[in-house]
Amino acid sequence: MTRTLRLACLDSEAPPLFSLWNPKDGRQGYEPSVAEALGAELGLPVEWVMVPWIDMIPAVQRGDADAVLCGQGITAERLSQVDFTRPYAIFHEGVLVRRGAGIRGPADLVGRRVAAIENSTNMALAETFTGAIPVAFGAGSDDVYADMLAALASGDVDAVVDDDVVFVPLGANHPDYELAFTVRTANRWGIGVAKDRPEVLAEIDTALARIIESGQLREVWTRWLPTLDYPLGGPSA
């Protein structure tokens, strides 16, 4: 491990997961708070390595970052590229539409354009909707979530698939969007480390186990994600 814990992520506004970096507050949100708890457990300051979505895993493989902590569902494809810690979050997936679109389930997506981040668990789900037209977003984008919302607002797409946590800030009464339905996929999110750095994986995973067992991770979850049930073990807050 270097003298800092270098973590790859994109610089984007996606509360409550994370905010855009600013000189005064740095990055705020659930994932930055997880990172700070890990850094404190390891005795290391956290350094964010900001890259586009598609460059996060390559950045770790190149050695530009120690790990990627940024919305990485643990999938077979990603496991072929990096090794993962135990989960620090488990989320389901939602389908967001324009308010009043009349979309209530997968059957209503036939012939509709459905946006999701390319090579993501969200895209894998979108591709299971029979008759829907998956539209991939993310190649080189600095803010793929904002891009998808803009496309939904303009009518370029009819729905957006993403993890349920991303849609929390929109609330149930947003004037422009509504959550059409949720699929309980229980996607496990982990911290990805290059396969040739098993010692780094062990350090981070052990630190993560300690903050789960101590209840620190539950406290972070409750602070940032109070409307979602805490899915991991450890003592109660």
Side-chain angles (χ1 to χ4, degrees):
M1 188 81 71
T2 56
R3 291 187 298 109
T4 61
L5 177 59
R6 299 172 302 156
L7 298 172
C9 193
L10 71 167
D11 191 19
S12 175
E13 187 71 19
L17 281 176
F18 47 77
S19 65
L20 282 165
W21 181 89
N22 70 72
K24 179 182 178 183
D25 302 315
R27 300 178 81 229
Q28 300 292 308
Y30 177 68
E31 288 187 331
S33 294
V34 172
E36 291 298 331
L38 285 172
E41 188 68 30
L42 291 165
L44 296 172
V46 173
E47 175 187 347
W48 289 102
V49 179
M50 303 299 191
V51 292
W53 175 269
I54 60 171
D55 199 38
M56 289 190 295
I57 286 178
V60 169
Q61 294 171 324
R62 291 192 303 267
D64 294 343
D66 297 307
V68 54
L69 200 173
C70 196
Q72 297 293 293
I74 302 173
T75 66
E77 180 180 355
R78 289 180 183 142
L79 281 167
S80 71
Q81 302 174 72
V82 293
D83 291 326
F84 280 98
T85 63
R86 70 196 65 211
Y88 64 88
I90 299 175
F91 294 120
H92 304 300
E93 292 171 85
V95 177
L96 190 75
V97 300
R98 290 184 296 279
R99 182 164 293 282
I103 297 173
R104 294 289 178 266
D108 299 319
L109 294 173
V110 174
R112 309 272 193 145
R113 293 169 60 82
V114 180
I117 298 174
E118 63 181 340
N119 298 321
S120 68
T121 55
N122 309 133
M123 178 54 75
L125 177 62
E127 290 170 345
T128 70
F129 297 147
T130 303
I133 305 167
V135 179
F137 278 72
S141 172
D142 291 328
D143 196 341
V144 63
Y145 178 62
D147 293 346
M148 292 192 298
L149 280 188
L152 181 61
S154 69
D156 289 341
V157 300
D158 302 294
V160 171
V161 180
D162 212 325
D163 294 271
D164 55 2
V165 61
V166 174
F167 299 138
V168 166
L170 299 178
N173 300 308
H174 194 279
D176 302 320
Y177 310 113
E178 60 183 337
L179 188 64
F181 60 96
T182 298
V183 182
R184 297 186 65 80
T185 47
N187 289 333
R188 299 158 66 245
W189 286 20
I191 302 168
V193 179
K195 288 183 172 293
D196 61 356
R197 301 186 72 190
E199 73 288 353
V200 174
L201 177 71
E203 281 187 84
I204 296 175
D205 187 59
T206 300
L208 178 55
R210 289 198 295 262
I211 67 170
I212 292 173
E213 180 59 31
S214 69
Q216 291 180 71
L217 190 64
R218 180 188 288 271
E219 292 173 4
V220 171
W221 181 284
T222 301
R223 185 185 340 140
W224 291 104
L225 311 174
T227 63
L228 301 179
D229 292 335
Y230 180 69
L232 304 170
S236 298

